[in-house]
C-alpha cells in the first residue's frame, strides 16, 4: 500500500532516512533496552527498502540483463559491507567506538538522497 501511495523510490528513500535516528540512538544509548530498541528499529527501516529497491532495479532493465544486474548489485553491496566492517573494526580497535556508526549515518543519508535525486523523476516518468 505504501509503495502504491508514495512510489518505490520515495518509499525507499524515506525508510532509509528514517533509519538514521535509530542508528544514532543505538550508537549513543546508555542502556541496553534503549540500544536494543534503536538496533531493531534501524534494522527494520533499513531492510524495509531492500525488496522495494530490488523490484525497481529489475523493472528498469531488460529481462536479459536482470541476472547480471542483480549479481553485480549484490556483489557491490557485500563488497562494501565487507570493507566497511573491516574499517569499522579498525576504528573501534583504535578506541573510536562511535565513529563507524557516525560514518554509516552519513552514508545512509547520502544514499537516501541520491536514490531520490537520481531515480524519483525517472520512476514518475515511467509510471506516466
Amino acid at each position: 500500500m505504501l509503495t502504491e501511495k508514495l512510489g518505490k523510490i520515495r518509499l525507499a528513500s524515506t525508510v532509509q532516512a528514517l533509519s538514521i535516528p535509530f542508528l544514532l540512538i543505538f550508537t549513543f544509548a546508555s542502556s541496553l533496552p534503549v540500544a536494543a530498541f534503536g538496533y531493531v528499529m534501524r534494522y527494520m527501516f533499513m531492510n524495509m527498502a531492500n525488496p522495494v529497491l530490488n523490484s525497481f532495479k529489475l523493472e528498469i532493465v531488460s529481462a536479459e540483463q536482470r541476472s547480471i544486474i542483480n549479481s553485480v548489485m549484490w556483489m557491490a553491496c557485500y563488497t562494501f559491507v565487507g570493507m566497511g566492517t573491516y574499517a569499522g573494526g579498525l576504528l573501534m580497535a583504535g578506541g573510536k567506538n562511535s565513529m563507524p556508526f557516525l560514518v554509516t549515518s552519513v552514508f545512509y543519508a547520502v544514499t537516501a538522497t541520491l536514490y531520490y535525486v537520481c531515480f524519483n523523476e525517472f520512476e514518475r516518468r515511467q509510471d506516466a
Side-chain angles (χ1 to χ4, degrees), residues 58-68:
L58 295 177
E59 285 176 0
I60 64 173
V61 298
S62 68
E64 298 83 31
Q65 296 174 324
R66 288 183 184 148
S67 61
I68 191 75

Side-chain angles (χ1 to χ4, degrees), residues 40-106:
V40 168
M41 294 300 290
R42 188 230 49 104
Y43 189 82
M44 180 191 70
F45 277 120
M46 201 60 193
N47 289 315
M48 191 184 295
N50 286 340
V52 175
L53 291 173
N54 285 335
S55 174
F56 178 75
K57 75 180 176 196
L58 295 177
E59 285 176 0
I60 64 173
V61 298
S62 68
E64 298 83 31
Q65 296 174 324
R66 288 183 184 148
S67 61
I68 191 75
I69 289 295
N70 195 52
S71 299
V72 168
M73 293 293 290
W74 283 111
M75 181 184 68
C77 174
Y78 285 111
T79 298
F80 285 109
V81 166
M83 291 187 320
T85 301
Y86 179 72
L90 291 176
L91 288 169
M92 291 175 134
K96 297 178 175 142
N97 293 334
S98 60
M99 185 59 70
F101 302 104
L102 295 173
V103 171
T104 299
S105 296
V106 170

